Coordinates of all heavy atoms in Angstrom, one line a residue:
R1 N 11.0 0.6 -12.3 CA 10.4 1.9 -11.9 C 10.5 2.1 -10.4 O 10.5 1.1 -9.7 CB 9.0 2.0 -12.4 CG 8.8 1.9 -13.9 CD 7.3 1.8 -14.2 NE 6.8 0.5 -13.9 CZ 5.5 0.2 -13.8 NH1 4.6 1.1 -14.0 NH2 5.2 -1.1 -13.6
P2 N 10.4 3.3 -9.9 CA 10.3 3.5 -8.5 C 9.0 2.8 -8.0 O 8.0 2.8 -8.8 CB 10.2 5.0 -8.3 CG 10.9 5.5 -9.5 CD 10.6 4.6 -10.6
V3 N 8.9 2.3 -6.8 CA 7.8 1.7 -6.2 C 7.3 2.4 -5.0 O 8.1 2.6 -4.1 CB 8.1 0.2 -5.9 CG1 6.8 -0.5 -5.3 CG2 8.6 -0.6 -7.1
L4 N 6.0 2.8 -5.0 CA 5.4 3.3 -3.8 C 4.7 2.2 -3.1 O 3.8 1.5 -3.6 CB 4.3 4.4 -4.2 CG 3.4 4.9 -3.1 CD1 4.3 5.7 -2.1 CD2 2.3 5.8 -3.6
L5 N 5.2 1.9 -1.9 CA 4.6 0.8 -1.1 C 3.7 1.4 0.0 O 4.1 2.3 0.7 CB 5.8 0.0 -0.4 CG 6.5 -1.0 -1.3 CD1 7.6 -1.6 -0.4 CD2 5.7 -2.0 -1.9
D6 N 2.6 0.8 0.1 CA 1.6 1.2 1.1 C 1.5 0.0 2.1 O 0.9 -1.1 1.7 CB 0.2 1.5 0.5 CG -0.9 1.8 1.5 OD1 -0.6 2.0 2.6 OD2 -2.1 1.7 1.0
F7 N 2.0 0.1 3.3 CA 1.9 -0.9 4.3 C 0.6 -0.5 5.1 O 0.5 0.5 5.7 CB 3.1 -0.9 5.3 CG 4.3 -1.4 4.7 CD1 5.1 -0.6 3.9 CD2 4.7 -2.7 4.9 CE1 6.3 -1.1 3.4 CE2 5.9 -3.2 4.3 CZ 6.7 -2.4 3.6
W8 N -0.4 -1.5 5.1 CA -1.7 -1.2 5.6 C -2.3 -2.4 6.2 O -1.8 -3.5 6.2 CB -2.6 -0.7 4.5 CG -2.9 -1.8 3.5 CD1 -2.1 -2.4 2.6 CD2 -4.1 -2.6 3.4 NE1 -2.7 -3.4 1.9 CE2 -4.0 -3.5 2.4 CE3 -5.3 -2.5 4.1 CZ2 -5.0 -4.5 2.1 CZ3 -6.3 -3.4 3.7 CH2 -6.1 -4.4 2.7
A9 N -3.5 -2.3 6.8 CA -4.3 -3.4 7.4 C -5.8 -3.0 7.2 O -6.1 -1.8 7.3 CB -4.0 -3.7 8.8
P10 N -6.7 -4.0 7.0 CA -8.1 -3.7 6.8 C -8.8 -3.1 8.0 O -9.7 -2.3 7.8 CB -8.7 -5.1 6.4 CG -7.6 -6.1 6.5 CD -6.3 -5.4 6.8
W11 N -8.3 -3.3 9.2 CA -8.9 -2.8 10.4 C -8.5 -1.4 10.7 O -9.0 -0.7 11.6 CB -8.7 -3.7 11.6 CG -7.2 -4.1 11.7 CD1 -6.6 -5.2 11.2 CD2 -6.1 -3.3 12.3 NE1 -5.3 -5.2 11.5 CE2 -4.9 -4.0 12.1 CE3 -6.1 -2.0 12.9 CZ2 -3.7 -3.5 12.6 CZ3 -4.9 -1.6 13.4 CH2 -3.7 -2.3 13.2
C12 N -7.5 -0.8 10.0 CA -6.9 0.5 10.3 C -7.7 1.6 9.6 O -7.7 1.7 8.4 CB -5.4 0.4 9.8 SG -4.6 2.0 9.7
G13 N -8.3 2.5 10.4 CA -9.1 3.6 9.9 C -8.3 4.5 9.0 O -8.7 4.8 7.9
P14 N -7.1 5.0 9.5 CA -6.3 5.9 8.6 C -5.9 5.2 7.3 O -5.8 5.8 6.2 CB -5.1 6.2 9.5 CG -5.6 6.1 10.9 CD -6.6 5.0 10.8
C15 N -5.6 3.9 7.3 CA -5.3 3.1 6.1 C -6.4 3.1 5.1 O -6.2 3.2 3.9 CB -5.0 1.6 6.5 SG -3.6 1.4 7.6
R16 N -7.7 3.1 5.6 CA -8.8 3.1 4.7 C -9.0 4.5 4.1 O -9.5 4.6 3.0 CB -10.1 2.7 5.5 CG -10.1 1.2 5.8 CD -11.5 0.7 6.2 NE -12.0 1.4 7.4 CZ -11.9 1.0 8.6 NH1 -11.3 -0.1 8.9 NH2 -12.5 1.7 9.6
M17 N -8.4 5.5 4.8 CA -8.5 6.9 4.2 C -7.4 7.0 3.1 O -7.6 7.6 2.1 CB -8.2 7.9 5.3 CG -9.4 8.0 6.3 SD -8.9 9.0 7.7 CE -8.1 10.4 7.1
V18 N -6.2 6.4 3.3 CA -5.1 6.5 2.4 C -5.3 5.6 1.2 O -4.9 5.9 0.1 CB -3.8 6.3 3.1 CG1 -2.6 6.1 2.1 CG2 -3.5 7.4 4.1
G19 N -5.9 4.5 1.4 CA -6.0 3.4 0.3 C -6.6 4.0 -1.0 O -5.9 3.7 -2.0
P20 N -7.7 4.7 -1.0 CA -8.2 5.2 -2.3 C -7.3 6.2 -2.9 O -7.2 6.3 -4.2 CB -9.5 5.9 -1.9 CG -9.9 5.2 -0.6 CD -8.6 4.9 0.1
I21 N -6.5 7.0 -2.1 CA -5.6 7.9 -2.7 C -4.5 7.2 -3.4 O -4.0 7.5 -4.5 CB -5.0 8.9 -1.6 CG1 -6.2 9.7 -1.0 CG2 -3.9 9.7 -2.2 CD1 -5.8 10.4 0.3
V22 N -4.0 6.1 -2.7 CA -2.9 5.3 -3.3 C -3.4 4.6 -4.6 O -2.6 4.6 -5.6 CB -2.4 4.3 -2.3 CG1 -1.5 3.3 -2.9 CG2 -1.7 5.0 -1.1
D23 N -4.6 4.2 -4.6 CA -5.2 3.6 -5.8 C -5.3 4.6 -6.9 O -5.0 4.3 -8.1 CB -6.6 3.0 -5.5 CG -6.5 1.7 -4.7 OD1 -5.4 1.1 -4.6 OD2 -7.5 1.4 -4.0
E24 N -5.7 5.8 -6.6 CA -5.8 6.9 -7.6 C -4.4 7.2 -8.2 O -4.3 7.4 -9.4 CB -6.3 8.1 -6.9 CG -6.8 9.2 -7.8 CD -7.5 10.3 -6.9 OE1 -8.5 10.1 -6.3 OE2 -6.9 11.4 -6.9
I25 N -3.4 7.2 -7.4 CA -2.0 7.5 -7.8 C -1.6 6.4 -8.8 O -1.0 6.6 -9.8 CB -1.0 7.6 -6.7 CG1 -1.3 8.9 -5.9 CG2 0.4 7.7 -7.2 CD1 -0.6 9.1 -4.6
A26 N -1.9 5.1 -8.4 CA -1.6 4.0 -9.3 C -2.2 4.1 -10.7 O -1.6 3.8 -11.7 CB -2.1 2.7 -8.7
Q27 N -3.4 4.7 -10.8 CA -4.1 4.9 -12.0 C -3.5 6.0 -12.8 O -3.4 6.0 -14.1 CB -5.6 5.2 -11.8 CG -6.4 4.0 -11.2 CD -6.5 2.8 -12.2 OE1 -6.7 3.0 -13.4 NE2 -6.4 1.6 -11.7
E28 N -3.0 7.0 -12.1 CA -2.6 8.3 -12.8 C -1.1 8.2 -13.2 O -0.7 8.9 -14.2 CB -2.7 9.5 -11.9 CG -4.2 9.8 -11.6 CD -4.3 10.9 -10.5 OE1 -3.3 11.3 -9.9 OE2 -5.5 11.3 -10.2
R29 N -0.3 7.5 -12.5 CA 1.2 7.6 -12.7 C 1.7 6.3 -13.3 O 2.0 5.3 -12.6 CB 1.9 7.9 -11.4 CG 1.6 9.2 -10.8 CD 2.3 10.4 -11.4 NE 3.7 10.2 -11.5 CZ 4.5 10.7 -10.6 NH1 4.1 11.4 -9.5 NH2 5.8 10.5 -10.7
A30 N 1.9 6.2 -14.6 CA 2.5 5.0 -15.3 C 4.0 4.9 -15.0 O 4.6 3.9 -15.3 CB 2.2 5.1 -16.7
D31 N 4.6 6.0 -14.6 CA 6.0 6.1 -14.4 C 6.5 5.4 -13.1 O 7.7 5.3 -12.8 CB 6.6 7.5 -14.5 CG 6.0 8.4 -13.4 OD1 4.8 8.3 -13.1 OD2 6.7 9.2 -12.9
I32 N 5.5 5.1 -12.2 CA 5.8 4.4 -11.0 C 5.0 3.1 -10.8 O 4.0 3.0 -11.5 CB 5.6 5.3 -9.7 CG1 4.1 5.7 -9.6 CG2 6.5 6.5 -9.8 CD1 3.8 6.3 -8.3
K33 N 5.4 2.3 -9.9 CA 4.6 1.1 -9.6 C 4.1 1.3 -8.2 O 4.8 1.9 -7.4 CB 5.5 -0.2 -9.6 CG 4.7 -1.5 -9.4 CD 5.6 -2.7 -9.4 CE 6.1 -3.0 -10.7 NZ 6.9 -4.2 -10.8
V34 N 2.9 0.9 -7.9 CA 2.3 1.1 -6.6 C 2.0 -0.3 -6.1 O 1.4 -1.2 -6.8 CB 1.0 1.9 -6.7 CG1 0.3 2.0 -5.3 CG2 1.3 3.3 -7.2
G35 N 2.5 -0.6 -4.9 CA 2.3 -1.9 -4.2 C 1.6 -1.7 -2.9 O 1.9 -0.7 -2.2
K36 N 0.8 -2.7 -2.5 CA 0.2 -2.7 -1.2 C 0.6 -3.9 -0.4 O 0.6 -5.0 -1.0 CB -1.3 -2.6 -1.4 CG -1.9 -1.4 -1.9 CD -3.4 -1.3 -1.9 CE -3.9 0.1 -2.2 NZ -5.2 0.3 -1.7
V37 N 1.0 -3.7 0.8 CA 1.4 -4.8 1.7 C 0.5 -4.8 2.9 O 0.5 -3.9 3.7 CB 2.9 -4.6 2.2 CG1 3.3 -5.7 3.1 CG2 3.9 -4.4 1.0
N38 N -0.3 -5.9 3.0 CA -1.2 -6.1 4.1 C -0.3 -6.6 5.2 O 0.1 -7.8 5.2 CB -2.3 -7.1 3.7 CG -3.3 -7.3 4.8 OD1 -3.0 -7.3 6.0 ND2 -4.6 -7.6 4.5
V39 N -0.1 -5.8 6.3 CA 0.8 -6.2 7.3 C 0.3 -7.4 8.1 O 1.1 -8.2 8.7 CB 1.1 -5.1 8.3 CG1 1.9 -4.0 7.5 CG2 -0.1 -4.5 9.0
D40 N -1.0 -7.7 8.2 CA -1.6 -8.8 8.9 C -1.2 -10.1 8.1 O -0.9 -11.1 8.7 CB -3.1 -8.8 9.0 CG -3.5 -7.7 10.0 OD1 -2.7 -7.3 10.8 OD2 -4.7 -7.3 10.0
E41 N -1.2 -10.0 6.8 CA -0.9 -11.2 5.9 C 0.6 -11.4 5.7 O 1.1 -12.4 5.3 CB -1.6 -11.1 4.6 CG -3.1 -11.2 4.8 CD -3.9 -10.9 3.5 OE1 -3.2 -10.6 2.4 OE2 -5.1 -11.0 3.5
Q42 N 1.4 -10.3 5.8 CA 2.8 -10.3 5.4 C 3.6 -9.7 6.6 O 4.3 -8.7 6.4 CB 3.0 -9.4 4.2 CG 2.3 -9.9 3.0 CD 2.6 -11.4 2.6 OE1 3.8 -11.8 2.6 NE2 1.6 -12.1 2.2
P43 N 3.6 -10.3 7.8 CA 4.3 -9.7 8.9 C 5.8 -9.7 8.7 O 6.5 -8.9 9.2 CB 3.9 -10.6 10.1 CG 3.5 -11.9 9.5 CD 2.8 -11.5 8.2
E44 N 6.3 -10.7 7.9 CA 7.8 -10.7 7.6 C 8.2 -9.4 6.9 O 9.3 -8.9 7.2 CB 8.2 -11.9 6.8 CG 7.8 -13.3 7.4 CD 6.4 -13.7 7.0 OE1 5.6 -13.0 6.3 OE2 5.9 -14.8 7.5
L45 N 7.4 -9.0 5.9 CA 7.8 -7.8 5.2 C 7.7 -6.6 6.1 O 8.6 -5.7 6.0 CB 6.9 -7.6 3.9 CG 7.2 -8.6 2.8 CD1 6.2 -8.4 1.7 CD2 8.6 -8.5 2.3
A46 N 6.7 -6.5 6.9 CA 6.6 -5.4 7.8 C 7.8 -5.3 8.8 O 8.3 -4.3 9.0 CB 5.3 -5.5 8.6
R47 N 8.2 -6.5 9.3 CA 9.4 -6.5 10.1 C 10.6 -6.2 9.4 O 11.5 -5.4 9.9 CB 9.5 -8.0 10.7 CG 9.2 -8.1 12.2 CD 9.6 -9.4 12.8 NE 9.3 -10.6 12.0 CZ 8.1 -11.2 12.0 NH1 7.1 -10.7 12.6 NH2 7.9 -12.3 11.2
Q48 N 10.8 -6.6 8.2 CA 12.0 -6.4 7.4 C 12.2 -4.9 7.2 O 13.3 -4.4 7.2 CB 11.8 -7.0 6.0 CG 13.0 -6.8 5.0 CD 12.8 -7.5 3.7 OE1 12.0 -8.5 3.6 NE2 13.4 -7.0 2.7

């Protein structure tokens, strides 16, 4: 399925605003996969 990726960090204010929306989309849309990438924990993926 298509994947919606959210690159975020816990200290990021705008990320905390988007996070619940992304979670809501994950609950509502079975036709897509939603993934979250914490850029502090996964700097290689953020760079990639």
Side-chain angles (χ1 to χ4, degrees):
R1 299 173 282 166
V3 181
L4 173 64
L5 284 178
D6 175 17
F7 288 84
W8 70 286
W11 49 264
C12 165
C15 299
R16 289 195 302 267
M17 291 168 43
V18 169
I21 297 169
V22 170
D23 290 336
E24 195 175 294
I25 293 169
Q27 293 293 322
E28 294 172 357
R29 296 283 303 266
D31 60 322
I32 63 167
K33 184 182 289 188
V34 176
K36 292 187 166 199
V37 181
N38 182 328
V39 297
D40 288 343
E41 295 174 356
Q42 303 300 320
E44 303 89 359
L45 289 177
R47 253 191 314 279
Q48 180 180 338

